[in-house]
Amino acid sequence: MKGAAQRMTASLEEITGGPLPFRLRAWDGSESGPADPSGTLPVVVVRHRRALRRLLWSPGELGLAQAYDAVTAIETGEHVGDAAYPAFTRLIHDRLRPGGRALVQQMSRGAHAPGGGAFIETHIAPDMHMRPLGETVGLLEGAGPEVRHTESLREHYVRTVAAWAETLEARWDEAVALVGEVTARVWRLYLAGGGLAFDQRRMGVDQVLAVRPGRDGAGGPPVTPAGWYGSREAAR
C-alpha cells in the first residue's frame, strides 16, 4: 500500500508536469521522490495533513511551477508597467515547457511617436506603457524564449476601431445611461483619436510568437508560417 509521501509525489508530479527536484517525507514516515544515492537532494518534510493545502496550492514556494504547452497574453503586456516588464517576460518563459509556445499580443508605438500620450494615460489607461515592437522582441528574448514570428495588426485595428465607434454612435443613449455622458464622450474622443493613430502608424497592435527552446536548441513548431497553417488545415 502506498504511503502518504508516494501519493503526494504522484499528485505534485501531475501538477508540475515533471519529476520533483527534492524528496518528500510524510507524517506517516513514508518517503518518496527521485533516487538519491549520493544523499545530496533536499528533503521536504510534511509533518501534518493540513500542510498539504499549502504544498499543493502554492508549489511556486518550493521552486515548482506548472509547465504548459502554450501560454498567451492578449493586450496585458502594455499594462504591467515598464519596470515590471522584464519580470513579466520571465514569468512567460518559466511557465513554458521546453518547446512550449507563447503568443503575446499587445499595443505598440512608432519609434518616434509618444504612444498613448497624455489623454490616454490620464483618462483611458493610466497604467499603459507602449514601446516599439523591436524593444518588446528584445525583452522577450532577453528572458529566454526565442521569437519566431511577428505579425502587425495595425491596419486591422483601423477597421476594428471604426466598427467600435459606429456601434457607440448607434447605441449612444444606452452608453450614456450606462456610464454617464462625460465618460461616453471621453470614449468617443478616444476611439476617434485611436483610429487616427493606428492609421498614421503612431500606434500599433502586434502579435509575437515565441518558443522556449529545449536544451539542444530545438524549438518545436514548423519552420515556416505555411507549415503552421497547413498543420491546422490538416487537423480539420
Side-chain angles (χ1 to χ4, degrees):
M1 184 177 180
K2 291 183 178 180
Q6 285 79 16
R7 296 195 295 273
M8 285 191 294
T9 296
S11 297
L12 283 169
E13 288 181 342
E14 182 178 354
I15 290 171
T16 61
L20 302 182
F22 54 79
R23 292 184 62 78
L24 272 174
R25 185 180 301 148
W27 59 88
D28 62 355
S30 61
E31 189 168 322
S32 180
D36 185 25
S38 62
T40 57
L41 283 179
V43 178
V44 174
V45 180
V46 183
R47 301 186 185 279
H48 197 279
R49 297 174 186 270
R50 285 178 295 186
L52 282 174
R53 176 176 297 180
R54 186 169 185 179
L55 186 63
L56 294 174
W57 286 13
S58 303
E61 294 181 6
L62 296 172
L64 301 172
Q66 177 88 33
Y68 295 97
D69 294 330
V71 299
T72 186
I74 303 298
E75 298 193 25
T76 55
E78 60 267 54
H79 298 287
V80 302
D82 190 34
Y85 202 83
F88 172 70
T89 56
R90 286 195 300 272
L91 180 65
I92 290 174
H93 172 270
D94 293 346
R95 290 297 181 266
L96 288 172
R97 64 164 179 79
R101 307 166 197 184
L103 180 69
V104 177
Q105 176 177 313
Q106 68 184 53
M107 296 178 69
S108 61
R109 63 174 176 84
H112 304 292
F119 175 77
I120 290 179
E121 293 170 3
T122 301
H123 299 288
I124 304 298
D127 59 353
M128 182 177 289
H129 180 86
M130 287 184 269
R131 61 178 58 80
L133 172 62
E135 293 183 16
T136 296
V137 169
L139 287 164
L140 279 167
E141 291 212 319
E146 178 188 13
V147 171
R148 301 295 296 267
H149 183 70
T150 65
E151 183 171 356
S152 172
L153 304 180
R154 181 177 63 83
E155 290 93 341
H156 297 260
Y157 265 68
V158 175
R159 300 169 63 184
T160 298
V161 171
W164 289 342
E166 290 175 6
T167 301
L168 177 61
E169 295 301 330
R171 305 182 65 174
W172 180 256
D173 291 342
E174 295 175 63
V176 170
L178 184 65
V179 299
E181 185 173 1
V182 171
T183 300
R185 289 170 66 87
V186 165
W187 280 87
R188 172 193 270 167
L189 182 59
Y190 167 62
L191 292 175
L196 188 61
F198 285 126
D199 190 43
Q200 295 178 346
R201 209 171 71 82
R202 291 184 284 113
M203 290 198 313
V205 176
D206 305 284
Q207 286 188 346
V208 183
L209 178 65
V211 177
R212 177 173 179 170
R215 292 183 179 179
D216 59 356
V223 296
T224 66
W228 310 337
Y229 299 126
S231 61
R232 190 179 74 170
E233 291 297 326
R236 288 183 175 177

